[in-house]
Amino acid sequence: MDFSQQIAQYIVTGLTIGAIYAIVAMGFNIIHNATGIVNFAQCEFISLGGMFMYSLVVLFKVNLIISFFISTAGVALIGALIEIGPIRHARSKEIIVLIFLTIGLSEVLRGTAQEVWGTDNVGVPAFSGENPIHLLGGGTIVPQHIWIFAITVLVMLLLHYFFKKTLMGKAMRATAVNRRAAALAGISVNRMTLFSFAFSGALGAVAGIIIAPISTTSYDTGIMLGLKGFAAAILGGYGNFAGAILGGVILGLLESLGAGLVSSQYKDAIAFSVLLLVLFLKPTGIMGYGEAERV
Amino acid sequence: MNSLSKQKDIIGFGALAVIIIILPLFVESKYYFIVLNVIGLNTIVVVGLNLLIGFTGQISLGHAAFYGLGSYFSGVLTVNYGFPLWPAMLVGMLATGAVAYLIGYPSLKLQGHYLVMATLGFGIIINILMGELEQFTGGHDGLMGIPPLTMGGLAFDNDLKNFYLIWSFVFLCMLAARNLLNSRVGRALRAISGSEVAANSLGVNTADYKVKVFVLSAMFASISGSLYAHYITFISPSSYDFHYSIQVVTMVIVGGMGSLWGSLLGAGVLTYISEALHVAKQYHVIAYGVFLCLVLIFLPEGILIGIYNLFLKAKTKKHIMKADRH
């Protein structure tokens, strides 16, 4: 394989993982826009998606497509329960308290997952076989990469349609802009918050499910993926949907090229160093709305 | 600062000093000495972190890295380069402070949760470097043979001596934090935690104070890290991972954000729980998570003030019920 083929391979891998980050970043953004909090339980949504899928497909031999939807719905339900229970009933509504609460919930979920599934990495079968497909440039990809791209694009289109065209989507956007005004206009802010958690759960689950056949999955696989999804969200401009996609793709490419060309041990360090750099140079992120509020 | 709370502080610190001096008389097993020493080390980190969380409302998820920088500066400089012990600790502290400044300055100029991301990313980078820069740090196998600290002719080479050393630092750090909070800086910080906008409009440079507190809290963590390295004499990257950052944050919250004595309590309770769960390590994560959630949901002021408030509430309720009956 010559150099240009290698580069092509890294780019494909980078785009794949970037797509995952973009979905996760979207989950962070939706909750951030609805509530202003950083939801660290997003990391666990990813792990749970992967582990539900593993249980259904491998342990219970359920059909792949059915498993996909059950797993996604299951994690969305967990997201909703998190909102209905702890988040809604916390005695303090301060943002910092709620952020810490999501950290605590994340620990509880991860600890429970460890009890249920153990600590081993487990595999999930690819959606349509493992036969590599040869690309025009000479590189090869497995079909799962195509599934990841296709599902990511589909998810993005659905989200776009939902937020731009449906009444509920518009209501959620209104809530993001101004909670009080939205409430005055008759929008149930509580319900919008609930939906945002369920959506983020579903998004995290989808990310965890589609990456599992490539990278295997475990009870804590979501930590790194989730934190990098958060990084992608900040990179693109926190709260900005187009930014989430761009941030995810950039982060994925940097990481993959960094791992291939520099050193695979340092790939996470490279990704986060770039993030720090962006944070310092343009803290609003690449697609951030104007100037971040200076205090 | 009124004279009443000054008096309370004098009593508090006096009691702390007495307890530190006489406690070893009642501790017999080596195990409990280790637990107490780890509580002390964690308290130093938590007191510093609580200044940041409690008074500026900012979150750091990278304090494991500052703690680790202290450990690694002390360890690497003394083992590999034959540095004298205390200067190595000082170098570690200053370097950690400088790094914290570099991270804190840009991220704290902005409103919002940029510091979380910056510290989180930084923590992960440092943890990777600890494992990968093998020629300096010993890599994932860790760094062995770190000499114990000495003072005059006295080497702090057993649990009892380290108890006095570590807890002296706890005492000093708490005293420093208390004095800081009662100074001009402290008044500014309290103003910030009350209302940032109001503080700003009264001429408090809020961003500047936030950066200073962040740097200070990083330096506290670094001191604790150095003490840990010289006490245990062995360090490895796994002690400084993301989970440690979460642990100290949990201690701050359980003790009570913005509460100095709560920091001691939070570090004590949670360190003890971790040690008690040592045999069942898999419950570690759940225990921390459940504790964190329960306190946040029901006692967001922390257990010290929270339980006190509940007690007051119950008392007034009783009075009201009594009054009703009459």
Side-chain angles (χ1 to χ4, degrees), chain A residues 235-246:
Chain A
L235 201 60
Y238 207 24
N240 183 314
F241 285 9
I245 301 174
L246 195 67

Side-chain angles (χ1 to χ4, degrees), chain B residues 14-98:
Chain B
L16 180 64
V18 172
I19 291 173
I20 291 173
I21 291 166
I22 64 167
L23 193 61
L25 298 177
F26 303 100
V27 179
E28 275 157 12
S29 75
K30 181 182 167 64
Y31 170 74
Y32 281 106
F33 265 119
I34 296 175
V35 173
L36 283 171
N37 289 345
V38 176
I39 289 177
L41 292 167
N42 285 338
T43 304
I44 298 173
V45 181
V46 172
V47 165
L49 184 60
N50 205 347
L51 289 175
L52 177 77
I53 295 177
F55 292 94
T56 69
Q58 288 286 335
I59 302 171
S60 164
L61 288 182
H63 261 56
F66 301 129
Y67 184 62
L69 281 175
S71 291
Y72 271 90
F73 264 106
S74 279
V76 172
L77 288 180
T78 55
V79 173
N80 295 350
Y81 300 98
F83 241 68
L85 309 176
W86 293 98
M89 187 167 166
L90 190 68
V91 169
M93 190 179 96
L94 295 175
T96 307

Side-chain angles (χ1 to χ4, degrees), chain A residues 36 38 40 86 89-92 95-97 99-101 103-105 107-108 110-112 114-115 223-224 227 230-231 234 265-266 268-269 272-273 275-276 279-280 283-284 292-295, chain B residues 53 57 59 61 102-103 106-111 113-114 116-118 120-121 124-125 128-129 132-133 196 200 243 246 249 253 257 282-283 285-286 288-290 292-293 296-298 300-301:
Chain A
V38 181
F40 282 101
H89 289 98
R91 283 186 42 210
S92 165
I95 300 283
I96 186 168
V97 171
I99 294 178
F100 282 133
L101 191 52
I103 294 177
L105 290 166
E107 299 269 294
V108 174
R110 178 151 28 91
T112 314
Q114 188 185 352
E115 279 306 294
I223 297 187
M224 257 313 174
L227 294 182
F230 180 37
I234 296 239
Q265 277 98 351
Y266 286 111
D268 293 339
F272 282 110
S273 303
L275 173 84
L276 286 185
L279 215 50
F280 297 157
T284 47
E293 202 180 324
R294 303 244 167 198
V295 267
Chain B
I53 295 177
I59 302 171
L61 288 182
L102 287 180
I103 298 169
S107 21
L108 288 168
K109 287 279 166 207
L110 305 158
Q111 184 80 271
H113 293 286
Y114 290 97
V116 183
M117 189 64 239
L120 204 149
I124 291 169
I125 294 171
I128 292 171
L129 292 180
E132 300 302 330
L133 293 176
E196 194 168 333
N200 217 351
H243 188 61
I246 304 269
V249 158
I253 290 160
M257 290 182 250
Q282 69 269 31
Y283 296 118
V285 177
I286 300 191
Y288 267 86
V290 169
L292 188 54
C293 290
L296 283 168
I297 296 171
F298 298 108
E301 320 85 339

Side-chain angles (χ1 to χ4, degrees), chain B residues 196-252:
Chain B
E196 194 168 333
V197 178
N200 217 351
S201 67
L202 289 172
V204 177
N205 186 344
T206 50
D208 202 42
Y209 278 111
K210 284 184 188 173
V211 177
K212 281 181 185 155
V213 171
F214 178 61
V215 169
L216 186 73
S217 80
M219 284 160 100
F220 272 34
S222 169
I223 293 173
S224 177
S226 293
L227 290 172
Y228 172 84
H230 288 299
Y231 170 42
I232 305 290
T233 71
F234 165 77
I235 50 178
S236 76
S238 62
S239 313
Y240 310 99
D241 58 6
F242 184 56
H243 188 61
Y244 184 75
S245 292
I246 304 269
Q247 261 178 292
V248 282
V249 158
T250 311
M251 290 172 192
V252 168

Side-chain angles (χ1 to χ4, degrees), chain A residues 8 23 30 35 68 114 116 137 153 159-160 162 187 196 198 212 226 256 278:
Chain A
I23 298 182
I30 289 176
T35 62
F68 182 96
Q114 188 185 352
V116 175
V153 170
L159 280 176
H160 183 80
F162 175 79
I187 296 169
S196 71
S256 162
V278 171

Side-chain angles (χ1 to χ4, degrees), chain A residues 154-174:
Chain A
L154 188 68
V155 165
M156 297 302 166
L157 288 177
L158 280 175
L159 280 176
H160 183 80
Y161 174 79
F162 175 79
F163 280 108
K164 294 278 158 149
K165 304 285 178 199
T166 65
L167 188 63
M168 207 216 280
K170 286 176 185 169
M172 282 181 81
R173 272 169 52 218

